[in-house]
């Protein structure tokens, strides 16, 4: 019989560590099933734009996709729980997340929206505030600074310290930082290296601002219709990739610090006291907005606090 | 015979009038959308640069307005012959051949418009059922801007239908034989 | 084989003269229906292609062009260009290339460049006695510089997909951009010399004439200064520059020129919508076609085929250039980048091909895509401006296809043309 085809659409460029993880997953599935499942990856938005992956999978236009957790934030507010400032950045929490009640809650929310979640790839817990003119070391340094925001929820934390979050497409950020349309950038530590922010930004403050997950989900009808052995093989490969993501991401972030320094960027890695000060200044406003964002948001916080 | 033909011509004139009016409303809304986009971009720049208060929702709105500009102006553009085809072969055809290719072109627009209307409506219904909101600041229920696609498709189909009807009673397929492009008539090349 | 059949099918369909967007759209929908049994949620793809903030620059620059035309700002601008270049062979052609180069430094889009300059240049070139075909050609081709000379929308997209320095790509585009602009300008001179009815040359302008011309077009000349200055000083982004440019053109038309009323504004907006709608329907349909090709894994299979031939970096590059050229006949820039870059990248890394160099070669190919029939967005832009038969436009553009291929060959033969400038800075 013909091989089962599993097409995976995602937005990540091929060099991103999670894109490489998805490729490893693809090879792993093909190996475990002896080629009975043919996994085809469509990265870099070549098939669907990031926000089109959800309907494409739910409608069965592709079998699977990988999306970033906070992209769901308005449709499934609970998905933001992983990305609250200084909240889910403890490695112990990240290690306990797979299979936890919080994981199950989020999976159930996704199923309500027509997709079955199969793996959570931990992507970052280290962010970097970048700037060109002066380093952003203290909470006060953010006053009046135009900074690229993340989304409506997280931007509450930036406004709480007097910064002015601006929205712009990711592709315009590099140039906006270069010409000074905005004063500061906020991004994943390793992205600051891969997006070459060091070319246009002198200073960087490394901080456990938030975590980000990319997660893989499939069309439920397709999943339920798979032969049991294929489904098991895919689930096992997904679980392995989920485990592999943790050391991979930690290593990527560690390398990024060295690489950014090598490129001449002046980096400051926040001390535990500084982290506490930032947490106290930025977290409450976001937490409050998050609790109000949906009925199950407080429950998601409680479940996260149990980890 | 003559009476039947006159009735047909009147019916076509009515259909054509409706298509023209609807097309005009579409392009007027599109123009308003373009001027609104201009104002939004200007507002966004001014707020960020002069007042240090970036407006985080304008980009998202401008994106939806772009869909509106394209989809709502498409039917009027069709009536004015703005939609370009590869005319290298058709330019060489005689009167009869040109009418056949023109009818084929209008038919293709009718099918495309109808497909966009039907498939677009499915998409809208599906998005609404799942309750998908935009990822941006506006938290826009995505089925609202998505509805522009089936609306534009329906407008296109109506304009194509009117064009075919005009041809059926021996009138030219397009309004005044096509538009003048970007140049004002006085500056036309030929 | 499938690939050739598909392309042959599209060509046949398009040459019946039906609107290009329906030709590409219906063909792609048919492909989806045949291969996966449904329309592939085509309206969702159309919506996604159109709902792109970065593309708003095109209708806004279109509006800027319309305002400049209706406000008669353009007449003075070109009058000045004519005064300055009337004593040179092919003078207005050179002036047009120069105008494209300057506007390319404002705009990241080739369609916007061809549209703005074309609306100004074509009628004036014809008025001063140039062959219409020469005017269509120089504007269509000169406009493509919009994506090679920074800023460049397609380079940003390639940079994001390939993790290549956007600053480095921008720097790398400068020298090839100037080189190709120079080749185009040189061609204007040669074309005029070869012509059996060369344009009458007039005496060189006196200092007083030059001063008078510059004074008359002062405010019009300030437009690029405002837009460029604001962009490089960080007042606004490259996309916003289109809006600021349109607003500035509006202010100049209203205050410096007078006589520009609400009615002119409204009609400029309506005309811009019609032009943009036509261009974007094609863009969306070409996007749907690219989406169908991606789902059929055609680019993937073509690249794998070439990679397995084991031809080395140069052989691989030549094959990829050929693939890009052929795809460029049918697709538009965004789709080409999205569907080819992810599949080319792994092989490129393996063969040690410099990603910035490749980015420039890709961009020159995208310039070609804009002017090669049957689907070339700049051809359609010229068509929208002039309503001339497509055949005349294509004939006018053909020499420039060869000249761009020459430029492509030069950058392939001498990678330093692209890599020298970024190499002198931090970008590597
Ligand atoms: Na440019
Ligand atoms: Na082309």
């Amino acid at each position: 019989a013909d091989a089962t085809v599993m097409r995976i659409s995602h937005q990540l460029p091929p060099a991103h560590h999670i894109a490489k993880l998805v490729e490893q997953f693809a090879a792993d599935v093909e190996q475990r099933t002896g080629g009975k499942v043919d996994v085809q990856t469509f990265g870099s938005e070549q098939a669907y734009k990031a926000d089109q992956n959800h309907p494409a999978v739910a409608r069965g236009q592709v079998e699977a996709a990988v999306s970033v957790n906070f992209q769901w934030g308005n449709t499934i507010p609970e998905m933001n729980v992983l990305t609250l400032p200084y909240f889910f950045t403890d490695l112990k929490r990240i290690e306990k997340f797979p299979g936890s009640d919080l994981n199950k809650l989020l999976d159930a929310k996704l199923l309500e929206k027509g997709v079955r979640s199969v793996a959570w790839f931990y992507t970052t817990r280290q962010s970097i505030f970048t700037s060109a003119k002066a380093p952003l070391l203290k909470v006060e340094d953010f006053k009046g600074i135009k900074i690229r925001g993340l989304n409506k929820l997280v931007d509450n934390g930036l406004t709480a310290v007097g910064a002015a979050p601006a929205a712009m497409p990711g592709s315009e950020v590099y140039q906006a930082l270069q010409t000074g349309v905005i004063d500061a950038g906020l991004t994943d530590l390793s992205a600051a290296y891969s997006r070459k922010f060091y070319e246009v930004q002198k200073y960087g403050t490394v901080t456990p601002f938030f975590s980000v997950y990319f997660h893989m989900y499939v069309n439920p009808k397709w999943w339920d219709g798979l032969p049991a052995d294929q489904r098991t093989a895919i689930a096992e490969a997904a679980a392995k990739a989920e485990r592999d993501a943790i050391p991979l991401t930690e290593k990527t972030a560690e390398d990024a610090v060295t690489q950014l320094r090598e490129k001449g960027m002046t980096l400051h890695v926040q001390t535990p006291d500084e982290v506490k000060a930032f947490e106290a200044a930025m977290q409450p406003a976001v937490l409050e907005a998050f609790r109000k964002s949906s009925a199950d948001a407080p429950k998601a916080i409680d479940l996260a606090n149990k980890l | 015979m003559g009476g039947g033909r006159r009735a047909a011509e009147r019916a076509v004139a009515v259909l054509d009038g409706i298509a023209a009016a609807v097309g005009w409303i579409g392009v007027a809304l599109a123009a308003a959308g373009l001027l609104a986009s201009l104002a939004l971009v200007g507002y966004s720049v001014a707020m960020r640069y002069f007042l240090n208060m970036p407006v985080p929702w304008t980009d998202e709105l401008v994106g939806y307005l772009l869909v509106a500009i394209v989809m709502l102006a498409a039917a009027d553009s069709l009536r004015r012959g703005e939609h370009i085809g590869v005319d290298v072969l058709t330019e060489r055809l005689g009167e009869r051949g040109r009418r056949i290719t023109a009818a084929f072109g209008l038919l293709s627009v009718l099918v495309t418009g109808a497909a966009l209307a039907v498939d677009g409506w499915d998409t809208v219904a599906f998005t609404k059922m799942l309750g998908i909101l935009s990822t941006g600041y506006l938290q826009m229920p995505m089925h609202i801007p998505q509805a522009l696609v089936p609306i534009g498709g329906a407008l296109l189909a109506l304009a194509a239908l009117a064009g075919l009807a005009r041809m059926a009673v021996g009138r030219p397929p397009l309004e005044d034989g096509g538009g003048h492009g970007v140049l004002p008539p006085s500056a036309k090349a030929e | 084989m499938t690939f050739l059949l598909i392309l042959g099918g599209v060509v046949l369909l398009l040459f019946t003269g039906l609107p290009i967007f329906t030709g590409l759209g219906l063909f792609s929908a048919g492909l989806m229906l045949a291969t996966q049994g449904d329309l592939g949620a085509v309206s969702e793809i159309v919506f996604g292609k159109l709902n792109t903030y970065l593309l708003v620059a095109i209708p806004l620059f279109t509006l800027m062009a319309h305002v400049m035309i209706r406000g008669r700002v353009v007449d003075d601008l070109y009058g000045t260009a004519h005064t300055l270049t009337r004593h040179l062979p092919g003078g207005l052609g050179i002036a047009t290339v120069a105008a494209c180069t300057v506007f390319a430094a404002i705009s990241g889009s080739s369609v916007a460049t061809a549209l703005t300059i074309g609306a100004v240049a074509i009628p004036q070139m014809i008025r001063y006695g140039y062959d219409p075909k020469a005017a269509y050609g120089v504007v269509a081709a000169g406009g493509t510089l919009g994506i090679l000379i920074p800023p460049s929308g397609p380079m940003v997209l390639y940079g994001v997909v390939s993790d290549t320095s956007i600053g480095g790509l921008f720097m790398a585009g400068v020298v090839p951009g100037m080189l190709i602009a120079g080749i185009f300008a040189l061609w204007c001179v040669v074309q005029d010399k070869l012509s059996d009815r060369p344009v009458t040359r007039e005496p060189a302008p006196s200092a007083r004439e030059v001063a008078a011309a510059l004074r008359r077009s002062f405010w019009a000349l300030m437009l690029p200064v405002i837009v460029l200055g604001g962009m490089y000083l960080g007042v606004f982004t490259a996309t916003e520059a289109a809006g600021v440019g349109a607003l500035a053109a509006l202010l100049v038309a209203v205050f410096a020129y007078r006589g520009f009323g609400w009615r002119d504004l409204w009609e400029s907006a309506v005309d811009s919508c019609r032009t943009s709608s036509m261009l974007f329907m094609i863009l969306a349909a070409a996007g749907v076609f690219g989406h169908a090709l991606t789902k059929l894994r055609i680019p993937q299979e073509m690249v794998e085929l070439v990679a397995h031939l084991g031809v080395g970096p140069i052989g691989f590059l030549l094959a990829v250039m050929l693939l890009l050229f052929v795809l460029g006949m049918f697709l538009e820039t965004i789709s080409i980048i999205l569907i080819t870059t992810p599949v080319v990248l792994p092989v490129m890394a393996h063969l040690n091909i410099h990603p910035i160099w490749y980015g420039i070669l890709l961009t020159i190919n995208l310039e070609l895509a804009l002017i090669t029939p049957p689907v070339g967005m700049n051809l359609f832009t010229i068509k929208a401006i002039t309503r001339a038969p497509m055949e005349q436009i294509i004939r006018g553009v053909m020499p420039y296809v060869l000249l761009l291929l020459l430029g492509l060959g030069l950058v392939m033969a001498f990678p330093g043309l692209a890599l020298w400038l970024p190499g002198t800075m931090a970008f590597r």
Side-chain angles (χ1 to χ4, degrees):
Chain A
D2 282 348
T4 304
V5 175
M6 178 183 187
R7 291 169 295 184
I8 308 175
S9 169
H10 67 81
Q11 72 212 60
L12 293 165
H16 193 279
H17 66 283
I18 298 299
K20 290 178 184 161
L21 188 71
V22 172
E23 294 302 324
Q24 272 176 33
F25 163 81
D28 192 19
V29 169
E30 289 181 1
Q31 205 210 339
R32 281 169 196 263
T33 59
K36 271 191 245 153
V37 178
D38 174 18
V39 186
Q40 303 175 355
T41 55
F42 296 88
S44 310
E45 301 195 315
Q46 59 180 298
Y48 294 96
K49 286 167 81 173
D51 61 357
Q52 292 180 317
N53 282 326
H54 167 210
V57 172
R59 289 178 88 172
Q61 289 295 327
V62 282
E63 288 73 32
V66 178
S67 289
V68 64
N69 69 296
F70 59 79
Q71 180 190 302
W72 298 84
N74 292 336
T75 308
I76 308 177
E78 294 83 357
M79 291 288 273
N80 273 324
V81 70
L82 305 168
T83 306
L84 299 172
Y86 304 99
F87 182 70
F88 208 83
T89 48
D90 186 7
L91 195 57
K92 290 216 184 66
R93 271 191 181 174
I94 289 160
E95 280 166 346
K96 286 186 195 157
F97 174 68
S100 67
D101 286 343
L102 179 61
N103 183 338
K104 284 177 190 145
L105 173 75
L106 297 182
D107 284 357
K109 294 279 168 194
L110 285 162
L111 201 54
E112 282 172 20
K113 296 294 174 189
V115 297
R116 173 181 288 281
S117 179
V118 292
W120 291 81
F121 304 139
Y122 156 60
T123 305
T124 182
R125 62 184 179 113
Q126 300 264 56
S127 309
I128 182 167
F129 293 116
T130 66
S131 52
K133 284 185 194 133
L136 297 166
L137 300 175
K138 297 200 226 52
V139 169
E140 298 85 71
D141 295 339
F142 283 79
K143 210 159 209 83
I145 288 283
K146 280 176 279 196
I147 185 167
R148 172 154 193 246
L150 183 83
N151 58 29
K152 195 172 182 173
L153 179 72
V154 172
D155 288 2
N156 284 314
L158 299 169
T159 29
V161 294
M168 62 176 56
S171 54
E172 281 205 319
V173 174
Y174 177 97
Q175 233 197 322
L177 289 171
Q178 184 177 37
T179 59
V181 170
I182 49 176
D183 309 305
L186 159 62
T187 184
D188 162 35
L189 180 57
S190 60
Y193 180 72
S194 64
R195 293 277 169 103
K196 309 208 166 35
F197 277 17
Y198 53 83
E199 291 173 349
V200 291
Q201 300 277 273
K202 182 154 173 40
Y203 302 101
T205 301
V206 180
T207 173
F209 186 60
F210 54 46
S211 285
V212 169
Y213 278 75
F214 274 82
H215 69 119
M216 183 158 64
Y217 50 95
V218 296
N219 179 281
K221 212 168 123 199
W222 172 80
W223 181 255
D224 294 339
L226 284 175
D229 58 327
Q230 292 183 8
R231 197 162 50 221
T232 311
I234 295 174
E236 282 172 3
K240 179 178 183 301
E242 196 170 74
R243 284 191 303 274
D244 290 350
I246 296 175
L248 177 66
T249 288
E250 288 297 302
K251 173 85 169 65
T252 308
E254 203 174 294
D255 291 350
V257 173
T258 325
Q259 288 162 329
L260 286 171
R261 285 208 167 114
E262 273 170 11
K263 291 291 180 184
M265 211 169 172
T266 309
L267 288 197
H268 171 70
V269 180
Q270 283 191 332
T271 65
D273 283 346
E274 287 170 332
V275 171
K276 275 207 190 89
F278 271 61
E279 181 181 329
M282 293 190 183
Q283 196 188 56
V286 184
L287 225 51
E288 196 195 326
F290 178 70
R291 282 182 199 281
K292 284 190 200 143
S293 66
S294 89
D296 280 341
K299 188 176 163 195
I301 291 194
D302 292 345
L303 291 178
N305 279 330
K306 286 194 186 127
L307 294 178
Chain B
M1 265 315 272
R5 184 169 171 83
R6 258 201 303 282
E9 275 173 5
R10 245 196 324 271
V12 168
V14 170
L15 175 65
D16 195 46
I18 293 171
V22 171
W24 186 85
I25 293 169
V27 80
L29 287 172
L34 178 58
L35 292 176
S37 301
L38 181 67
L40 283 169
V41 171
Y43 170 72
S44 172
V45 170
M47 288 297 283
R48 189 185 56 228
Y49 189 74
F50 295 109
L51 301 179
N52 215 42
M53 289 164 66
V55 193
W57 48 265
T58 45
D59 292 11
E60 187 184 345
L61 188 53
V62 165
Y64 304 142
L65 284 173
L66 191 56
V67 184
I69 290 167
V70 178
M71 293 313 300
L72 297 180
D76 184 71
S77 299
L78 180 76
R79 291 184 64 79
R80 289 168 180 275
E82 300 264 354
H83 287 292
I84 288 168
V86 178
D87 57 10
V88 173
L89 293 182
T90 52
E91 284 274 317
R92 290 179 161 71
L93 295 173
E95 183 60 27
R96 197 181 147 77
R98 283 192 193 203
R99 282 185 69 83
I100 291 172
T101 53
F104 179 66
L106 285 173
L107 194 64
S108 77
V109 178
L110 180 61
V111 175
T112 306
L116 283 176
V118 173
D119 185 72
W121 195 249
D122 284 351
T123 299
V124 166
F126 188 82
T127 305
K128 190 160 181 237
M129 179 192 71
L130 286 186
I132 299 177
L133 303 181
S134 74
T135 57
Y137 264 73
L138 293 176
Q139 308 195 0
M140 174 72 80
M142 286 309 285
H143 66 274
I144 295 174
Q146 275 177 352
L148 289 162
V149 175
I151 290 171
L155 291 182
L156 262 176
L158 177 64
L161 196 64
L164 285 169
R166 288 163 71 116
M167 291 189 76
V169 296
R171 287 166 59 190
L174 303 171
E175 206 162 78
D176 61 36
H180 54 71
V182 167
L183 303 180
S186 59
K188 266 205 68 176
E190 281 143 308
Chain C
M1 196 56 215
T2 328
F3 184 46
L4 292 181
L5 279 177
I6 289 175
L7 295 186
V10 178
V11 171
L12 276 182
L13 192 57
L14 290 181
F15 272 85
T16 64
L18 83 181
I20 289 169
F21 81 94
T22 66
L24 287 172
L26 290 176
F27 190 84
S28 319
L31 269 183
M32 304 269 223
L33 203 56
T35 52
Q36 66 173 42
D38 61 28
L39 288 181
V42 64
S43 60
E44 175 105 35
I45 308 298
V46 168
F47 178 80
K49 295 286 165 194
L50 297 178
N51 178 24
T52 305
Y53 167 72
L54 296 171
L55 289 177
V56 79
I58 293 179
L60 289 177
F61 274 127
T62 311
L63 184 62
M64 180 178 174
H66 279 287
V67 169
M68 287 173 74
I69 297 162
R70 277 187 194 270
R72 310 206 162 275
V73 183
V74 156
D75 300 354
D76 282 348
L77 208 55
Y78 240 73
T80 305
H82 179 244
T83 307
L84 295 178
T85 57
R86 66 191 186 195
H87 56 294
L88 301 170
L92 270 189
I94 298 172
T96 302
V97 174
C100 285
T101 309
V102 171
F103 198 83
I106 302 175
S107 152
S109 145
S110 285
V111 167
T113 308
L115 203 119
T116 312
I117 303 299
V120 182
I122 293 173
Q124 306 283 349
M125 281 181 78
I126 293 170
R127 193 172 107 198
Y128 286 109
Y130 283 73
D131 178 358
K133 286 200 295 292
Y136 307 152
V138 71
V139 173
T144 67
L145 293 169
I147 59 171
L148 184 57
I149 293 171
S152 161
M155 278 189 198
V156 170
L157 188 59
Y158 167 76
V160 170
V161 173
S162 64
D163 266 349
T164 307
S165 163
I166 292 161
L169 284 166
F170 280 8
M171 286 302 114
V174 173
V175 174
M178 295 301 161
L179 174 74
I180 290 175
I183 293 176
F184 287 173
L186 209 59
W187 170 249
C188 290
V189 177
V190 172
Q191 199 176 30
D192 190 69
K193 295 265 186 204
L194 293 178
S195 168
D196 40 8
R197 51 177 192 97
V199 176
T200 328
R201 282 155 68 181
E202 291 171 43
S206 67
R208 186 182 296 170
E209 275 179 294
V210 171
L214 290 178
R215 207 163 38 240
R216 203 167 49 240
S217 54
F218 175 78
W219 284 108
L221 288 171
M222 285 312 288
L223 285 176
V225 176
I226 293 168
V227 174
L228 274 176
M231 205 168 62
Y232 286 99
L233 291 176
V235 184
F236 39 79
T237 65
T239 308
E240 290 165 344
V244 174
L247 284 172
L250 205 56
L251 289 179
V252 168
V254 171
F255 293 109
Y257 281 77
R258 317 268 166 166
F260 189 91
W262 290 108
R263 195 181 169 76
D264 293 299
L265 176 62
W266 178 251
E267 281 175 5
S268 301
V270 169
D271 280 347
S272 306
C273 286
R274 287 183 182 133
T275 312
S276 306
S277 178
M278 179 278 286
L279 289 170
F280 279 73
M281 289 303 279
I282 297 175
L283 195 122
V288 173
F289 186 44
H291 176 81
L293 291 183
T294 300
K295 272 200 140 180
L296 294 173
R297 290 172 66 80
I298 284 173
Q300 183 93 34
E301 278 162 16
M302 302 291 284
V303 170
E304 275 168 10
L305 186 76
V306 176
H308 284 146
L309 293 177
V311 284
I314 296 299
F316 176 75
L317 262 185
L318 282 173
V320 170
M321 292 299 120
L322 182 65
L323 174 66
L324 289 173
F325 183 83
V326 174
L327 284 175
M329 292 163 69
F330 301 92
L331 297 177
E332 48 72 52
T333 51
I334 298 172
S335 301
I336 297 174
I337 298 170
L338 283 182
I339 73 175
T340 60
T341 308
V343 300
V344 169
L345 276 179
V347 190
M348 235 170 68
H350 181 68
L351 295 174
N352 257 328
I353 295 168
H354 199 301
I356 290 185
W357 181 45
Y358 176 78
I360 299 305
L361 297 176
L362 170 70
T363 307
I364 300 176
N365 256 297
L366 298 176
E367 290 189 82
L368 278 161
L370 287 156
I371 55 171
T372 49
V375 182
M377 297 306 281
N378 273 19
L379 300 177
F380 306 150
T381 306
I382 304 301
K383 171 97 181 172
I385 296 173
T386 61
R387 297 266 140 191
M390 195 57 99
E391 185 171 340
Q392 284 214 21
I393 301 171
I394 294 172
R395 279 190 188 200
V397 130
M398 270 311 140
Y400 292 93
V401 172
L402 299 177
L403 294 173
L404 265 177
L405 284 171
L406 171 68
L408 181 67
L410 286 173
V411 180
M412 278 190 88
F414 306 103
L417 288 172
L419 296 178
W420 168 73
L421 191 58
T424 62
M425 304 180 182
F427 314 116
R428 260 164 248 267

